[in-house]
Amino acid sequence: MSAELTLDEVTRRWLRHVQGRLDLSEASLVTYRRVGAHVQAWGEGRSLVGLDLAPYAQIRRNAGLAPRTLCLELRVIGVLFRWAVTTGLAPAAGTLRVPRVKVDPKRFVVNHSTPNPSDVARVLDEMAPDDFGLALLVIARTGARVGEVLRLRGCDVDRRTGRVSFGQVEGASKSGIRSFPLDASTLAELAPRPRTGTAPLFDFGEITCPIQALERRMARACDAAGVPRFTPHGLRRMVVSRLMRAQVDPGTAATLTGHSVQVMLRHYQQVTEGDQRAAVARAPLGDLVDSADGGGTAPR
């Protein structure tokens, strides 16, 4: 019976399966539904026996799909196929042929740019005065993960204590729940938002994948402001660096950003030449005079 099922039929069943999984984030579900729609259209009446994805890949490339996005779609189809085999909907001896997709590293690179606060302010000025701009402001002032911010609810902001709780929503809690004290300016910006209940704090209308939508708006705003493009994750690195330069205790900083201390210091803190020079001057390593702690003249 399972050998008679075609790719489009199996895809429909898989989509119903993943829709019921509580461990998947909404962003993952959006991706699965998007890829599933393309697979259903291409796989209508197509057998899963000896399935070759090369024609699918060619069609998607002809439609203008970027190589990285195509690689993602092929991985999703691989997940779908393995599920079909595991559940008996595809023959256990079935094979899936996945074409290799070449990604030009000169064109498709991970953006590790970390902006400075003044550049971020210029980009915010170029953003439309909508909920995307407000969400970006919250990320820049808290260093929270983009998914944590975009999925905030009205009840996650406590106006009485001035704190916001990140990670309360299923699928947006990579490092668990943590509380962050907001500054007065950010609280004022959020004042008109929903104050109670589980209503979303931000309204993105009919947009089903707001993370990608935010990144596109950020790229346009960066270009308009004349600053190097950065991502929401770049803002996270910026906040860690600002905390460290303000000589905040690493343990305290880690509780604010949701990192372990080791990960925060190794991967997120951005050390500049100016930071190094300031450290040497603060020690001060050029003064060979004993101090009370044995480390030279105490900094003033």
Side-chain angles (χ1 to χ4, degrees):
M1 176 67 69
S2 60
E4 299 176 1
L5 291 175
T6 58
L7 179 57
D8 57 315
E9 294 170 327
V10 170
T11 302
R12 276 192 288 273
R13 297 191 184 193
W14 176 73
L15 287 173
R16 288 198 296 270
H17 163 71
V18 298
Q19 190 63 44
R21 286 180 52 181
L22 299 178
D23 60 318
L24 294 176
S25 69
E26 181 60 29
S28 295
L29 291 174
V30 168
T31 298
Y32 287 168
R33 288 193 293 265
R34 176 180 61 78
V35 176
H38 292 298
V39 174
Q40 287 183 76
W42 177 75
E44 185 174 359
R46 195 179 296 269
S47 172
L48 275 76
V49 178
L51 185 60
D52 186 357
L53 295 182
Y56 174 87
Q58 188 60 52
I59 291 173
R60 298 296 286 139
R61 288 294 287 130
N62 292 342
L65 201 68
R68 281 189 182 274
T69 307
L70 178 56
C71 287
L72 171 63
E73 293 198 357
L74 294 176
R75 287 198 299 271
V76 170
I77 298 174
V79 171
L80 185 165
F81 188 83
R82 288 191 293 274
W83 174 84
V85 171
T86 302
T87 56
L89 297 178
T95 58
L96 179 68
R97 290 192 287 273
V98 181
R100 294 187 63 181
V101 179
K102 185 177 181 180
V103 178
D104 185 354
K106 295 181 180 179
R107 291 189 57 199
F108 300 95
V109 297
V110 178
N111 186 344
H112 290 297
S113 176
T114 301
N116 57 52
S118 60
D119 282 347
V120 174
R122 291 165 60 189
V123 169
L124 284 166
D125 287 340
E126 296 293 341
M127 294 282 289
D130 57 13
D131 281 22
F132 283 105
L134 182 56
L136 183 62
L137 178 67
V138 173
I139 297 172
R141 289 179 174 175
T142 64
R145 298 176 180 89
V146 60
E148 293 175 332
V149 172
L150 298 190
R151 300 189 70 182
L152 284 172
R153 306 163 302 175
C155 60
D156 294 330
V157 180
D158 189 331
R159 270 74 173 186
R160 183 180 60 84
T161 63
R163 304 179 76 92
V164 59
S165 292
F166 293 117
Q168 295 274 14
V169 179
E170 184 73 31
S173 55
K174 182 176 179 180
S175 56
I177 299 172
R178 70 183 187 283
S179 178
F180 190 104
L182 295 173
D183 63 280
S185 177
T186 303
L187 281 171
E189 293 280 359
L190 295 175
R193 305 286 118 182
R195 290 175 172 264
T196 58
T198 58
L201 190 67
F202 303 108
D203 181 7
F204 302 117
E206 300 299 318
I207 295 176
T208 57
C209 202
I211 293 179
Q212 285 85 340
L214 174 62
E215 290 177 340
R216 288 193 294 270
R217 286 164 171 77
M218 288 176 61
R220 291 194 294 267
C222 285
D223 293 345
V227 304
R229 290 186 178 185
F230 58 87
T231 66
H233 210 67
L235 295 174
R236 190 160 165 77
R237 289 190 295 271
M238 180 192 75
V239 169
V240 169
S241 295
R242 296 188 74 186
L243 290 169
M244 292 298 94
R245 288 178 184 132
Q247 301 184 36
V248 174
D249 171 71
T252 301
T255 65
L256 293 173
T257 59
H259 294 112
S260 69
V261 174
Q262 294 82 359
V263 168
M264 182 186 69
L265 295 178
R266 179 179 302 173
H267 300 291
Y268 286 86
Q269 183 183 5
Q270 305 294 299
V271 179
T272 66
E273 180 181 354
D275 294 328
Q276 294 176 331
R277 291 186 179 278
V280 170
R282 192 178 300 119
L285 300 183
D287 190 353
L288 298 180
V289 177
D290 290 341
S291 63
D293 61 2
T297 303
R300 298 177 181 178

